[in-house]
Amino acid sequence: MWLKPEEILLKNAFKLWVTEKDNEYFVLQRRRGYGEGGGGLTGLLVGTLDTVLDSTSKVAPFRILHHTPDSQVYWSIACGVTKEEIYQHWDWLQQNIMRTLSVFDSSEDITSFVQGKIRGLIAEEGKSSLVLEDDPEKFREALLRFEKWFELPPEEKLVTYYSCSYWKGKVPCQGWLYLSTNFLCFYSYLLGAEVKLVISWDEIWRLEKTSNVLLTESIHVLAHGEDHYFSMLLHLNETFVIMEQLANYSIKRLFDKEAFQREPALCDPLQITKRGLEAHAKSEQFRTFFRLPKEENLLEVHESFLWVPFSHFNTLGKICLSENYLCFASQDGSQCHVIIPMREVNTDRWNSSTRALTVCVRGKRALRFSEVRDYQRLSNTIRSRCGISASPLHSASLEAIRDSSKAVSTEALMTVFHPQDVENLDPKMLKEKMKEQSWNIHFSEYGRGTSMFFTRKTRDLIVRGVPEALRGELWMLFSGAVNDMATHPGYYTELVEQSLGTSTLATDEIERDLHRSLPEHPAFQSDTGISALRRVLTAYAYRNPKIGYCQAMNILTSVLLLYAKEEEAFWLLVAVCERMLPDYFNRRIIGALVDQAVFEDLIRENLPQLVEHMTDLSFFSSVSLSWFLTLFISVLPIESAVNVVDCFFYDGIKAILQLGLAVLDYNMEALISCHDDAEAVTILNKFFDSVTNKDSPLPPTVQQASVGNNDKTSHFNVDISELIREAYEVQGSREFTEEKQTLCHTDAGGYNQIRVVSQEVRFSASQLDELYNLFKRQHFLSCYWTINSPALLHHDPSLAYLEQYQLGFQQFSILFFLLEPWAFCTTKSTLSLWVFRLIDENQDGLVNFKEFCCALDTLYSNSFTNKLKFLFKLHLPPEMTWNSGNQGTEVNKDIFLYSRSQEFFAIWSRFYLTFIGRGKVDLQAYLKQWQNEILKKEETIKDLPRINQTQFIQFSKTLYNIFHGDPEEESLYRAVAHVTSLLLRMEEVGRRLQEPSSPAETSKSAHVSGEESSAEDASTTPESSDTSSPHNSQDAASDLTEVEWSFSFEQVLASLLNEPAIVGFFERPVDIQTKLAQAKAAQLKPKTHK
């Protein structure tokens, strides 16, 4: 590899290099301790020094130096991993450079010429892949070490690398951390002890920043139950952000099958860079903080002061600019931020003397930014984007928007079923009027609508409670749904019309749950509320089929419809499901599981007394799941739950976590004194029933609508406002950061699948776990290095999580080759195809984990009879397709046709799903069909069809190939030949007994008998069994074509049972653990993907 010329003052410093070749201008050297005479103490010391100092010599122990005769300065210009590589560079220099150097007069000219040539070669090599890296030269050297040490496929893209310490037990190992698109890798070499770690991002269960007595700051990685700690990182936060981005990217791309089509930096896994990941992380943080649509990206950031009119001073902060929004967030602790949609910006003015910029918002106040360093650029950007159409992503005719009132409800259900009485002067209504007045004063000072200032006072008003009349408006504002609705006029109406009358699994589930949504509330005892709920849920399922419909969405949507108009409720649901609670409402509810893990950690930190009494915190995870999914709506009375929803829309999931801690803290003594989980559940239920809202103006017919069993005997009541205030004051004052634990991915589906499969196989739990990891990784290998892999393109989000790990034929054949118990010689691709067809029960061109494990269990641990039956069935149609005339061509053609059949199946499936989505599906018929399949009787050996002569010949060839290379190969060959002869004799005797004899038949039988004896004699030598077919099988196939004969499985089994060598071979135990270890080591090797 050519290197950027670097000056070296001492060519033989510390005697670490040995000269192999030299001439007048170049020197070829070898690193001491490598190559001939290497090893020993010198090799250990040099190797350790190279690794700690990140020397390229660790993986490239050869180098070429340039020098001139009258100078003591040397320049490194090339390095090599092998002697052949460095000699190629040496020869190139001799042929292309040496002749030219003689024409120069001065040493400076020679050195400048050589350096220019080398830089030109490096620039030519790095045109394609390294132009995006900050330091291409250093990155090329790091890439060389990465490829040499970890031997991953060449398609794997290295993103960045860091120097760090890896804690193996209590001993730190100084080395290098390499972060690539699909793997986290670490390498260390200290005094002969090599530490090499390779973890794929999809295997990581938890990723967090930690600190303890020994490690002040470190990164904790939990993968497969093993803890890994990395410390002594110079830029720990930067490293953690990149690791977080890569882990989340892997989960979204591989588990959720996202294509990232709208994000150029992430759409191609082979072109991901550190710069792109950092930009993506900043945009993600920007969208989350300001609650902006997911299409927005952070384009520019400017530091400036903003004049705050209500405080009469300038606050320091940053201006953040995206495609359609201008946002400002303070950095001086005032917690002030404002969001200005570009569509609202009218004009802007700037003053060059003060570097000030004034932005005028249409119909509202002007915002004055000062001390903006690049104010002209910011002004030009704003002018180019202000006045953008209100609908950049969607357009609808005005007539359609006007007609929307005919299809959807334009009033919140609470205003219809519980209109406020203006003349009512009871204390609760008076307090409600006082709240409205407080908010109106706040609007007059801080603004109202999309350009309102968000400050500490806003949060204080939220904690006190939002008035009923303003709840829908403020929910829309705080969630960002107001911007979604403004940029998509008429979108909801079109969705309602398109989804009307569709029949899918989601719509069936929606119909089932409609009357379970706040059933005691009057609004959902009428057709008005039920119809609105149906339209919103069905429209969202049509918009986002990946989520469709999930339980708990009906409860949340019901509350949204009470306080927001129907279209507003739809956009609020979009904001909750897609931005505020991502990955909550799907089959895996991975988002809720992540937040539950965060909740457990917060309990450990903030409630140590409770942890001491209840060491197993999984109880709180199971209890709190409904808290997270329904925002406490399912456990609190409706008049109290809406106050929690107020806080959630302002502060996000942080409000739910704080309230959960406050609930446990409030019931600390009672929970500590309980004896079991059931008693703890009872305590919490009684507490929730006792929570009231003394300021709620709702009538008794509406209150307590969400809780069916209210405990009337409770001796105490807790006001929801006081509980929320305590949660913010006590729990909020503690150090609370969600970024401490950014990733918690548990493969709960894997555990469930292993538990199901373990009932049908003989593998131990640990063996099944390793098999599952191998199977899952093989599934992902088809997705790692391709943009449009079939596993990603044909992903069906309606499938259960466990069924999404499936292997096509190519991936199956690779994994089966690594795990098969016997050597299948050169015909492994053919047999792999037959095995694949046999175990693919539903003939969809994919094999799931259960089918794969059952096949391996049969070959590893089953009885001799079942193993033989498995091999016998491989040679029955349609598993086996054979053409003895041209074996290789026919097999390749058969594999090609089989792959084309998979494509046809995928196309047919999509067409079928589209078709049934338009009409009613007879689910009862499908259920009856599945029941009949389940009740099928177990197959016996008598049910197997007879095997004909062509199939039997191939069966014999398979046995020969299985025995090839075995220590008892000769005796096994002889046994197969004896069984073949015996079966042919038995068939001939049976034929004579059933048919009248004739001279022609007698001559035929004599000819067959002679052929049998010659086959038996020929098979006693190993040379007779070549890789394609033994001679005896070929002769039998050619001479017996005129005689139709066949064998039953019982005949084959009885004959083979009489051969102890064959029975002993199949009953010989297989070292499963060794096989699994070898497969794990070889699975990622490049040679397995050819």
Side-chain angles (χ1 to χ4, degrees):
M1 181 178 74
W2 299 109
L3 301 177
K4 180 182 178 182
E6 290 186 357
E7 185 176 333
I8 298 175
L9 295 178
L10 297 173
K11 70 169 183 176
N12 249 347
F14 307 109
K15 301 294 183 181
L16 296 178
W17 291 91
V18 179
T19 300
E20 298 255 326
K21 281 187 175 185
D22 63 348
N23 57 35
E24 187 177 2
Y25 298 107
F26 301 101
V27 179
L28 190 153
Q29 294 183 328
R30 172 179 55 84
R31 188 72 163 175
R32 190 177 294 277
Y34 298 91
E36 299 177 3
L41 182 60
T42 304
L44 293 178
L45 293 175
V46 173
T48 301
L49 187 65
D50 290 342
T51 303
V52 173
L53 298 179
D54 189 29
S55 173
T56 309
S57 309
K58 174 64 183 175
V59 292
F62 298 94
R63 72 177 182 179
I64 296 177
L65 304 179
H66 162 67
H67 72 104
T68 53
D70 55 349
S71 174
Q72 295 297 318
V73 177
Y74 287 75
W75 301 82
S76 63
I77 60 173
C79 68
V81 178
T82 63
K83 184 177 290 188
E84 291 76 12
E85 180 185 358
I86 203 68
Y87 271 51
Q88 287 180 0
H89 289 349
W90 180 266
D91 293 339
W92 188 90
L93 290 171
Q94 297 296 318
Q95 297 171 9
N96 299 279
I97 301 295
M98 284 297 294
R99 297 175 184 176
T100 311
L101 296 182
S102 59
V103 303
F104 293 99
D105 296 330
S106 65
S107 300
E108 291 79 5
D109 293 341
I110 292 175
T111 301
S112 298
F113 175 77
V114 172
Q115 290 181 357
K117 275 289 185 182
I118 299 302
R119 288 193 177 98
L121 291 172
I122 293 173
E124 192 66 28
E125 288 180 357
K127 268 184 178 179
S128 58
S129 60
L130 302 176
V131 292
L132 298 177
E133 306 301 335
D134 295 332
D135 190 347
E137 300 301 328
K138 289 291 183 184
F139 194 84
R140 288 173 74 248
E141 298 177 14
L143 182 60
L144 176 67
R145 294 190 293 273
F146 175 72
E147 293 173 348
K148 175 69 175 179
W149 283 338
F150 303 107
E151 298 179 328
L152 293 171
E155 298 88 356
E156 182 63 16
K157 174 71 170 62
L158 177 64
V159 176
T160 188
Y161 61 100
Y162 300 95
S163 173
C164 71
S165 292
Y166 169 64
W167 289 79
K168 191 175 183 182
K170 296 183 179 180
V171 180
C173 303
Q174 183 64 33
W176 290 87
L177 179 69
Y178 294 86
L179 307 179
S180 65
T181 304
N182 300 295
F183 298 96
L184 179 153
C185 305
F186 176 84
Y187 184 86
S188 173
Y189 183 89
L190 294 174
L191 299 178
E194 185 181 55
V195 178
K196 189 182 295 185
L197 183 70
V198 179
I199 303 174
S200 59
W201 294 113
D202 53 85
E203 296 173 344
I204 294 179
W205 295 351
R206 179 171 296 187
L207 176 65
E208 59 185 347
K209 288 188 288 187
T210 60
S211 61
N212 52 40
V213 178
L214 292 176
L215 306 175
T216 54
E217 273 192 311
S218 63
I219 295 177
H220 171 218
V221 176
L222 175 63
H224 292 308
E226 297 182 7
D227 294 297
H228 307 277
Y229 291 91
F230 301 92
S231 63
M232 302 296 290
L233 285 152
L234 186 61
H235 306 287
L236 186 136
N237 290 330
E238 174 190 305
T239 308
F240 183 76
V241 168
I242 298 297
M243 294 173 71
E244 173 196 5
Q245 288 294 308
L246 286 170
N248 288 329
Y249 171 73
S250 177
I251 288 177
K252 290 179 180 178
R253 189 171 73 92
L254 301 177
F255 287 77
D256 298 332
K257 314 302 182 193
E258 288 189 15
F260 298 94
Q261 295 177 352
R262 296 181 178 177
E263 301 181 50
L266 300 180
C267 62
D268 186 358
L270 304 182
Q271 300 297 329
I272 289 181
T273 62
K274 175 185 172 184
R275 188 183 306 170
L277 288 172
E278 289 175 340
H280 181 262
K282 291 177 181 177
S283 294
E284 204 170 43
Q285 186 180 11
F286 165 70
R287 289 190 297 265
T288 302
F289 182 82
F290 293 107
R291 306 279 171 81
L292 298 178
K294 59 183 178 181
E295 295 82 11
E296 298 299 314
N297 294 297
L298 182 61
L299 302 179
E300 298 179 17
V301 178
H302 301 268
E303 193 171 278
S304 71
F305 287 90
L306 172 63
W307 173 255
V308 183
F310 49 84
S311 300
H312 303 289
F313 69 88
N314 285 314
T315 180
L316 176 64
K318 288 186 177 180
I319 301 173
C320 301
L321 200 65
S322 69
E323 290 87 348
N324 300 295
Y325 296 89
L326 185 150
C327 307
F328 177 86
S330 65
Q331 293 181 298
D332 56 2
S334 62
Q335 298 180 4
C336 169
H337 70 272
V338 62
I339 305 167
I340 308 171
M342 289 294 188
R343 64 180 183 273
E344 301 285 339
V345 175
N346 192 6
T347 58
D348 71 297
R349 301 185 301 272
W350 52 270
N351 189 333
S352 58
S353 60
T354 59
R355 292 185 298 176
L357 181 71
T358 303
V359 177
C360 300
V361 183
R362 186 179 292 114
K364 299 171 185 176
R365 69 185 71 193
L367 302 176
R368 185 176 184 274
F369 301 96
S370 59
E371 298 297 328
V372 184
R373 179 174 299 178
D374 198 354
Y375 62 93
Q376 289 185 343
R377 177 186 173 188
L378 177 61
S379 176
N380 293 334
T381 305
I382 294 175
R383 287 181 178 179
S384 65
R385 296 184 176 276
C386 68
I388 290 177
S389 171
S391 178
L393 301 176
H394 180 82
S395 59
S397 62
L398 294 175
E399 290 77 8
I401 300 173
R402 293 192 192 101
D403 293 342
S404 64
S405 59
K406 300 177 182 178
V408 301
S409 175
T410 57
E411 294 292 336
L413 294 179
M414 193 64 75
T415 61
V416 176
F417 289 88
H418 178 55
Q420 291 189 6
D421 188 358
V422 180
E423 299 179 358
N424 189 353
L425 299 179
D426 63 32
K428 289 186 178 182
M429 288 303 300
L430 288 175
K431 194 159 189 178
E432 187 76 3
K433 294 295 181 184
M434 291 174 62
K435 283 184 184 179
E436 290 185 24
Q437 187 63 28
S438 299
W439 276 97
N440 288 329
I441 295 173
H442 183 79
F443 291 148
S444 63
E445 293 182 359
Y446 298 87
R448 186 169 187 171
T450 52
S451 58
M452 184 181 81
F453 283 90
F454 296 83
T455 64
R456 287 176 178 169
K457 189 175 180 181
T458 311
R459 177 182 278 114
D460 293 340
L461 289 174
I462 290 288
V463 172
R464 294 175 195 170
V466 176
E468 299 279 319
L470 297 176
R471 185 160 273 138
E473 176 188 346
L474 293 176
W475 285 359
M476 290 288 290
L477 179 63
F478 296 151
S479 65
V482 63
N483 292 315
D484 292 327
M485 184 172 168
T487 55
H488 295 77
Y491 176 75
Y492 173 67
T493 307
E494 290 186 6
L495 274 186
V496 171
E497 294 175 355
Q498 293 170 4
S499 62
L500 189 64
T502 58
S503 178
T504 62
L505 182 61
T507 57
D508 292 341
E509 293 177 349
I510 290 170
E511 290 296 328
R512 184 187 61 204
D513 290 344
L514 283 177
H515 296 278
R516 304 176 186 176
S517 310
L518 304 186
E520 298 182 13
H521 196 286
F524 298 100
Q525 295 173 357
S526 68
D527 184 65
T528 303
I530 294 296
S531 298
L533 181 61
R534 178 188 294 111
R535 286 192 295 269
V536 172
L537 292 175
T538 305
Y540 184 78
Y542 190 86
R543 162 191 166 88
N544 191 347
K546 184 177 179 180
I547 293 178
Y549 171 77
C550 180
Q551 284 190 343
M553 288 174 65
N554 61 318
I555 298 175
L556 175 61
T557 308
S558 300
V559 175
L560 299 178
L561 283 168
L562 290 178
Y563 295 96
K565 300 175 184 178
E566 186 176 323
E567 185 175 4
E568 294 175 343
F570 169 80
W571 288 113
L572 284 170
L573 183 63
V574 170
V576 172
C577 294
E578 299 177 11
R579 285 202 305 271
M580 302 186 71
L581 295 179
D583 296 323
Y584 260 63
F585 301 97
N586 54 31
R587 293 180 182 272
R588 295 190 290 121
I589 58 171
I590 189 67
L593 296 178
V594 170
D595 287 334
Q596 282 182 309
V598 175
F599 188 53
E600 286 185 17
D601 282 353
L602 292 172
I603 293 174
R604 292 188 185 95
E605 292 178 7
N606 302 320
L607 305 175
Q609 295 179 351
L610 192 60
V611 175
E612 291 176 5
H613 178 72
M614 303 183 71
T615 55
D616 185 13
L617 296 183
S618 60
F619 162 75
F620 295 110
S621 294
S622 59
V623 170
S624 63
L625 181 61
S626 63
W627 304 356
F628 291 101
L629 286 175
T630 65
L631 310 179
F632 284 92
I633 296 173
S634 63
V635 293
L636 285 175
I638 185 63
E639 70 276 8
S640 301
V642 290
N643 286 36
V644 179
V645 179
D646 296 338
C647 299
F648 166 75
F649 277 122
Y650 190 83
D651 279 320
I653 193 62
K654 176 181 176 180
I656 305 301
L657 293 169
Q658 287 181 170
L659 184 61
L661 288 176
V663 169
L664 297 180
D665 192 16
Y666 197 97
N667 295 276
M668 175 82 72
E669 295 181 3
L671 290 173
I672 291 177
S673 62
C674 66
H675 299 89
D676 52 31
D677 292 350
E679 187 177 351
V681 171
T682 302
I683 290 171
L684 291 175
N685 287 339
K686 287 184 178 180
F687 171 78
F688 286 129
D689 290 345
S690 67
V691 176
T692 61
N693 188 351
K694 61 183 181 182
D695 298 331
S696 175
L698 299 180
T701 55
V702 175
Q703 293 188 16
Q704 300 291 341
S706 63
V707 180
N709 297 320
N710 187 24
D711 188 5
K712 300 296 183 182
T713 63
S714 178
H715 298 289
F716 65 92
N717 287 320
V718 182
D719 185 65
I720 186 63
S721 299
E722 296 296 329
L723 188 63
I724 291 176
R725 187 177 295 111
E726 180 183 352
Y728 272 85
E729 292 177 356
V730 179
Q731 309 301 338
S733 63
R734 295 168 176 163
E735 183 180 354
F736 184 91
T737 56
E738 287 186 68
E739 62 181 27
K740 177 191 174 184
Q741 181 171 348
T742 60
L743 176 73
C744 175
H745 164 60
T746 56
D747 197 355
Y751 296 141
N752 294 332
Q753 191 165 10
I754 289 172
R755 186 175 67 249
V756 172
V757 174
S758 64
Q759 301 174 3
E760 303 188 22
V761 297
R762 297 169 181 80
F763 294 116
S764 64
S766 61
Q767 291 170 347
L768 269 178
D769 185 56
E770 292 188 43
L771 268 176
Y772 178 77
N773 292 328
L774 287 170
F775 189 87
K776 184 174 72 171
R777 174 175 282 185
Q778 195 65 41
H779 166 80
F780 287 147
L781 284 176
S782 65
C783 314
Y784 277 161
W785 303 290
T786 54
I787 305 175
N788 299 322
S789 66
L792 296 177
L793 289 178
H794 302 304
H795 171 64
D796 184 1
S798 65
L799 285 176
Y801 179 47
L802 308 180
E803 299 175 9
Q804 294 182 7
Y805 293 152
Q806 300 185 87
L807 301 183
F809 169 68
Q810 296 297 333
Q811 295 298 316
F812 167 82
S813 61
I814 293 171
L815 186 58
F816 184 74
F817 174 68
L818 294 175
L819 292 171
E820 61 190 5
W822 312 304
F824 281 155
C825 202
T826 57
T827 59
K828 64 179 186 300
S829 61
T830 308
L831 286 168
S832 297
L833 176 63
W834 297 344
V835 173
F836 183 81
R837 286 178 169 180
L838 179 62
I839 66 178
D840 182 15
E841 296 179 356
N842 58 357
Q843 301 299 316
D844 62 348
L846 297 170
V847 169
N848 60 34
F849 179 64
K850 179 182 176 182
E851 295 168 341
F852 183 78
C853 283
C854 291
L856 282 184
D857 179 64
T858 301
L859 298 178
Y860 277 155
S861 310
N862 229 312
S863 64
F864 170 74
T865 302
N866 287 329
K867 290 178 181 178
L868 192 64
K869 184 171 74 170
F870 186 88
L871 293 174
F872 186 86
K873 291 170 67 176
L874 290 181
H875 299 81
L876 298 174
E879 278 69 37
M880 189 197 79
T881 302
W882 186 253
N883 185 334
S884 59
N886 191 349
Q887 174 181 345
T889 305
E890 187 65 25
V891 170
N892 292 333
K893 180 181 177 182
D894 199 42
I895 295 174
F896 171 75
L897 291 175
Y898 194 65
S899 64
R900 291 300 299 270
S901 69
Q902 296 181 43
E903 297 177 10
F904 170 78
F905 181 83
I907 296 172
W908 181 86
S909 299
R910 289 197 297 272
F911 170 77
Y912 180 69
L913 289 173
T914 305
F915 174 74
I916 65 173
R918 296 296 179 184
K920 288 291 183 181
V921 182
D922 189 358
L923 296 178
Q924 294 296 328
Y926 283 109
L927 292 174
K928 187 175 182 180
Q929 179 183 348
W930 293 337
Q931 183 180 14
N932 294 335
E933 292 178 358
I934 293 173
L935 296 177
K936 282 182 180 177
K937 65 175 184 177
E938 186 178 354
E939 183 183 54
T940 64
I941 59 176
K942 293 183 178 180
D943 297 327
L944 294 175
R946 296 174 68 88
I947 192 170
N948 63 32
Q949 55 189 26
T950 304
Q951 296 161 356
F952 178 73
I953 291 171
Q954 186 56 43
F955 176 76
S956 302
K957 293 178 183 179
T958 300
L959 292 179
Y960 277 104
N961 284 313
I962 288 175
F963 300 150
H964 180 73
D966 191 85
E968 300 180 6
E969 178 181 7
E970 188 172 346
S971 61
L972 290 167
Y973 282 172
R974 192 179 298 111
V976 173
H978 184 263
V979 168
T980 304
S981 302
L982 179 62
L983 287 171
L984 289 173
R985 292 193 188 100
M986 291 171 57
E987 178 65 18
E988 183 61 26
V989 171
R991 189 179 296 278
R992 289 179 179 178
L993 292 176
Q994 293 179 2
E995 299 178 3
S997 60
S998 65
E1001 290 174 350
T1002 304
S1003 62
K1004 274 185 183 179
S1005 63
H1007 182 73
V1008 169
S1009 300
E1011 186 61 40
E1012 292 166 5
S1013 60
S1014 62
E1016 182 176 358
D1017 295 338
S1019 64
T1020 57
T1021 60
E1023 290 79 2
S1024 64
S1025 57
D1026 59 6
T1027 58
S1028 60
S1029 64
H1031 293 302
N1032 61 332
S1033 299
Q1034 291 179 351
D1035 295 339
S1038 60
D1039 292 334
L1040 295 177
T1041 53
E1042 298 181 1
V1043 180
E1044 291 296 332
W1045 45 266
S1046 62
F1047 301 115
S1048 67
F1049 175 73
E1050 293 169 295
Q1051 291 175 310
V1052 176
L1053 175 62
S1055 302
L1056 291 175
L1057 283 173
N1058 290 323
E1059 298 296 334
I1062 296 178
V1063 175
F1065 174 85
F1066 281 105
E1067 292 187 344
R1068 187 188 307 162
V1070 179
D1071 189 351
I1072 302 174
Q1073 208 61 43
T1074 302
K1075 276 282 185 183
L1076 292 173
Q1078 293 172 350
K1080 185 177 180 181
Q1083 193 175 27
L1084 289 175
K1085 300 292 183 183
K1087 63 182 180 181
T1088 64
H1089 303 285
K1090 291 180 181 179

